[in-house]
Amino acid sequence: MTRLAWGLEEPIGQYLSAHFPALMMPDVEYRPHWAVGFVDGDGVLFGALGLRYVAPWDGELSIYCERPQWASRAILRHLFHLAFVERGLERLSCSIAKKNGRARRLVERLGFKLEGVRRHGFDGRKDAVCYGLLRSECHWLLKE
């Protein structure tokens, strides 16, 4: 059973940075505006999601998970509700290394649409593919 851990923006930023060196710039620490950790029944953190606001209507997601169990329908509905309804965002964005097929398949299954490629945009060497999801396209939100 996956539990969500809230209020841990600094340690989750460090956790995500350890798994995404591209998030780190010299002397600048990655700090999400809000973050959630995915914790197993033994209390072990096995994944995290961080969100940084890039505009009042747009948030950029960073997700790293060691196990696929985090992605239950209930958790996905909760996270998308938080971003789109409670935080009032109109869109979510994410950048993925172009050759990371597993992550690309995941965000496509979540409903994100491919929006373009940023050459050397992932870590200064690898190309990044950019994805976006509009609130109006999000099938995880419960219809009101």
Side-chain angles (χ1 to χ4, degrees), residues 16-140:
L16 288 169
S17 294
H19 294 285
F20 292 116
L23 292 175
M24 289 298 287
M25 294 175 21
D27 302 321
V28 178
E29 203 174 295
Y30 173 72
R31 290 190 182 217
H33 290 105
W34 62 265
V36 60
F38 306 118
V39 179
D40 67 16
D42 296 324
V44 175
L45 181 71
F46 68 88
L49 177 147
L51 184 130
R52 289 190 48 83
Y53 301 115
V54 294
W57 59 87
D58 190 1
E60 184 166 72
L61 291 176
S62 297
I63 303 171
Y64 179 82
C65 209
E66 298 166 20
R67 306 177 211 157
Q69 293 91 340
W70 74 273
S72 72
R73 284 184 171 87
I75 288 175
L76 290 168
R77 282 190 190 103
H78 182 71
L79 294 174
F80 283 113
H81 178 85
L82 178 64
F84 285 124
V85 178
E86 291 185 28
R87 302 294 175 163
L89 296 177
E90 179 56 33
R91 62 174 279 124
L92 293 173
S93 307
C94 61
S95 296
I96 300 170
K98 188 175 183 181
K99 293 185 178 183
N100 188 343
R102 185 173 178 210
R104 293 180 66 182
R105 285 188 298 277
L106 171 65
V107 298
E108 289 170 2
R109 283 193 313 269
L110 293 176
F112 284 78
K113 306 286 186 229
L114 179 63
E115 296 182 331
V117 176
R118 288 191 347 252
R119 296 174 298 144
H120 293 205
F122 187 74
D123 60 2
R125 296 181 308 277
K126 297 177 196 152
D127 291 347
V129 288
C130 305
Y131 284 88
L133 176 64
L134 302 179
R135 179 181 179 158
S136 61
E137 299 169 336
C138 183
H139 61 271
W140 297 101

